[in-house]
Amino acid sequence: MASAQFGELPFLKFDHYVRSCKYSPDGSSFAVLLHDNSINMYATSNWERTWIQSGHSNYVYSIAYSPNGDRIVSGSEDSTVRIWDVATGDCLFILIGHSKAVNKVACAPESKVVASKSQDETIRLWDMDTGDCRSIISGHGNIIIVAFSPKGHNIAFGSGDRRVRLWDIASGELQNILIGHTRPITSIAYSAQGDLLISKDDNEVRVWEVKTGERRHVLKVDGILTSSPTGTQAASYKWWIKKEIELWDFETGVCIRRISGHDKGVLGTAYSPLGDQLASGGRDMTVRLWDVETGECRQTMTGHTGDVSNVLFSPKGDCVASVGDDNTVRLWNVGSGASRKISNDHSGSVSSLEYSPKRNQIASCSWDSTIRLRNAETGAHSRTLTGHSGSVDKISYSPQGDQLVSCSNDKTVRLWDVESGACRHILTGHTGTVRDVVFSPQGNQIASASWDKTVRLWNVVTGECQRVLAGNRERVQVVTYSPQGHQLASSSYGGTVRLWDVETGACKHTLTPHSMRIDRIEFSPNGNQIASALDMTVRLWDVKTGACSHIFIGHQKEVTRVVYSPRGDQVASASRGDRMVRLWDIESGECCHTLVGHEQGISTIVYSPSGSLLASWDDEGEGRLWDVETGGCYRTFAYPSGWDSRHSLMSRNFVWTLSDVVSFVTGGRDGTLRGWEVVKEGDRCRVRMRWRTTNGQLAVEDTNVHDVQELSDLDRRLLKQRGATGDPIHCLRDEASKKMTGMASVVSKFKSYSSDTMAPN
């Protein structure tokens, strides 16, 4: 059986492309418009189809519910408007009068007026009870978009002449003309109170005072716009360029937040009825649920096998429907209000992990623009730090563990208070992506490395830039302080390592040993040497003279990792290409051990705090624990059931933790973290997973489940769709089966438990 996600409902599968879908105002019914021009009506109580109708003779462009939800209106290429009875599916009226295609229909919120917009350059207002045409709006050129005011007394429409017109329905008179757009209007929306009107063309959004017609703001937004229910905010996205969503405040006229997480372009967004959540669907085939206030991804929902072209909330905000190019509508129960749980998984790849000097906390950062703090022992999520508008590439704790610094491709460095989660400083000045950041050993300074070819030194207290270290000809990738803090080493894409005097900013030595970029440089524990690698050698450099003291030769492919042992008497190196780890004696320069066994490229090597163990991890998720003294492999371990390359470790995504047992934490490309422990049993070691973060999914395979109680019809349909076979047995046959709980209670318990972490048995 394929995995099911908590809150997932049975999906609706069709033989044709889903063009549009709508919830009724009370949420009791759900209409689906298909590419074959049929309207399919469903009861949301059991998601059974109640009727299907295909009365139009040509392409159906639009559908809309009446305010009380008892009727649904459709507009078609056949120039007609049809009004249908939601309960029976009967066609009550065929409204004839337009001479060309009707490509938009809308129902007035608090009246029985239907508006239809046609390619014949008219808007017709119809009486829903009689089918009579009450008035015709014409003479304004090609009308592109229409919208009713919240009370339904007025209608606004935008035309190809780049003007917005406000029309009074009762009097049939033009109230105002809003002039200022330089391109045709593409969308219009009223605020919840009806006092503001938001109009958009291809380049900008204009916010107008409805009463006076005065312009309040002009926003340079060239993406697709979705207005919030309150009308004070909107989300915009550009599926053809970016993966991020911008949130705009109409009161101030500024972009207040950028949220990202989709791996490909965003195709649709929708606000919850309260405006506190935003749902998005994208070309990465996922649906994501965002907290509007913080920008956090609350939930990532998977299952579509094609682009997700549209998303919408139910009127109560407890369900999300998503439309996919795979001819399905997927349904998700997302809860409402205080019952909503924030997933503690990152929604993007984990790019860096750090262990607090206080030995009580793990910090992780991700491509999803967030930093998450959690308990090192249990994995319990404690805080999420948001503010960066791009992926967060590196984080670093202060020596005291009370502060955290982060860097991002948004070209900024941020300094955080760990206890409160407050951002103390936003350090600006870099003109390119900031790739690395680190505290000085004393904790009074921060160094940042950027693709703008500079290293910047920052004062921790004031946030001011103290010095800019320039001279690199290539993008700077890595920066690190010497243990004493008086020197700084940086490496660039061109294969150059530079040693800097921190006090004067002078470049003391330039080391050019390599022909390619250097991903890792490391000072020896005593600060006398630097180890660097990327070609097929490991090189040790004397910090005082800049001379190369050792060249370790033995790898058959490029060396991608090099680390000193805690005592500084040994260096370990790893190669992705030859899949080997080598241990080198620094004094003699000899290779002590060659560690062989990985079948895939090695991405991470890390000494344990005592230096007696070395952990290595490859790109397919296999980990190996080695005895440093003998070179023997203590243990091979991998992810349980279903590791895939999405969890391949990045360069910094492994940290040892100091606790009552030897333990470590890993982070992966699927956004999850795992806590592990190493248990010695005589001469052998056993590695087991202590905890892992979760996104609320429960996946089982090759499993028989008996005597499951209280399955609803929806539960049964979902399990059948996921490939479950057989029927649940209703009777309790033995004492063991009495311990089984119903799916409803199991789901409830798992929802509560998985909102933090899930510990394996």
Side-chain angles (χ1 to χ4, degrees), residues 103-274:
N103 47 26
K104 177 68 176 179
V105 291
C107 295
E110 296 184 8
S111 65
K112 296 183 178 181
V113 176
V114 176
S116 59
K117 179 189 76 70
S118 171
Q119 292 178 7
D120 63 9
E121 301 185 350
T122 69
I123 296 173
R124 286 179 177 254
L125 302 180
W126 310 84
D127 187 295
M128 190 176 297
D129 283 340
T130 65
D132 295 335
C133 180
R134 296 175 51 172
S135 60
I136 302 173
I137 303 172
S138 61
H140 306 292
N142 179 31
I143 299 172
I144 300 173
I145 190 73
V146 298
F148 278 103
S149 64
K151 292 187 178 297
H153 298 158
N154 302 287
I155 191 169
F157 56 93
S159 302
D161 63 3
R162 304 180 294 278
R163 299 184 179 191
V164 179
R165 291 172 170 85
L166 307 183
W167 192 273
D168 183 81
I169 293 177
S171 65
E173 295 180 355
L174 184 65
Q175 287 185 317
N176 214 333
I177 302 177
L178 311 181
I179 301 173
H181 283 285
T182 58
R183 295 195 175 189
I185 317 311
T186 57
S187 67
I188 289 177
Y190 279 91
S191 64
Q193 294 75 28
D195 57 333
L196 296 178
L197 185 79
I198 298 94
S199 59
K200 185 185 180 306
D201 61 30
D202 289 340
N203 282 339
E204 64 184 24
V205 173
R206 289 179 175 252
V207 182
W208 310 86
E209 297 276 356
V210 170
K211 189 174 183 179
T212 63
E214 293 181 2
R215 185 192 68 201
R216 177 178 288 189
H217 297 297
V218 178
L219 316 178
K220 293 299 180 181
V221 182
D222 58 352
I224 298 171
L225 199 73
T226 303
S227 294
S228 69
T230 61
T232 59
Q233 190 187 89
S236 71
Y237 59 92
K238 291 178 277 190
W239 62 266
W240 59 95
I241 298 178
K242 294 182 178 180
K243 307 171 189 177
E244 69 181 12
I245 302 167
E246 295 179 334
L247 302 184
W248 294 84
D249 187 293
F250 290 145
E251 294 295 328
T252 61
V254 300
C255 177
I256 56 174
R257 185 163 289 107
R258 290 180 174 86
I259 54 180
S260 59
H262 284 283
D263 294 333
K264 296 182 180 179
V266 178
L267 297 176
T269 56
Y271 278 93
S272 63
L274 296 177

Side-chain angles (χ1 to χ4, degrees), residues 416-492:
W416 309 87
D417 183 279
V418 170
E419 181 68 25
S420 67
C423 180
R424 291 184 172 179
H425 295 297
I426 302 175
L427 313 180
T428 60
H430 283 295
T431 58
T433 294
V434 186
R435 285 291 295 162
D436 200 7
V437 67
V438 64
F439 273 95
S440 66
Q442 293 76 28
N444 61 347
Q445 192 179 74
I446 292 168
S448 57
S450 171
W451 283 2
D452 65 8
K453 305 178 185 179
T454 69
V455 174
R456 287 179 177 255
L457 305 183
W458 311 85
N459 184 290
V460 170
V461 176
T462 65
E464 295 178 354
C465 181
Q466 296 174 312
R467 200 174 300 279
V468 179
L469 310 181
N472 291 285
R473 297 181 180 179
E474 302 287 343
R475 297 181 294 187
V476 185
Q477 185 79 359
V478 181
V479 64
T480 184
Y481 280 94
S482 65
Q484 296 77 23
H486 65 281
Q487 279 191 318
L488 193 74
S490 64
S491 67
S492 67

Side-chain angles (χ1 to χ4, degrees), residues 33-52:
L33 173 63
L34 298 181
H35 194 66
D36 66 353
N37 302 317
S38 67
I39 300 172
N40 296 252
M41 188 63 64
Y42 288 83
T44 58
S45 58
N46 56 13
W47 287 102
E48 295 287 349
R49 186 163 59 189
T50 56
W51 55 262
I52 179 172

Side-chain angles (χ1 to χ4, degrees), residues 22-32 39-42 50-51 53 62-75 81-95 105-109 111-115 126-132:
K22 303 278 186 182
Y23 275 99
S24 64
D26 64 358
S28 63
S29 67
F30 187 79
V32 181
I39 300 172
N40 296 252
M41 188 63 64
Y42 288 83
T50 56
W51 55 262
Q53 290 289 358
S62 177
I63 55 174
Y65 272 98
S66 63
N68 61 9
D70 64 339
R71 297 180 183 185
I72 194 164
V73 182
S74 58
V81 176
R82 289 180 180 246
I83 300 178
W84 310 84
D85 186 287
V86 169
T88 65
D90 294 337
C91 181
L92 303 178
F93 297 103
I94 301 176
L95 311 182
V105 291
C107 295
S111 65
K112 296 183 178 181
V113 176
V114 176
W126 310 84
D127 187 295
M128 190 176 297
D129 283 340
T130 65
D132 295 335

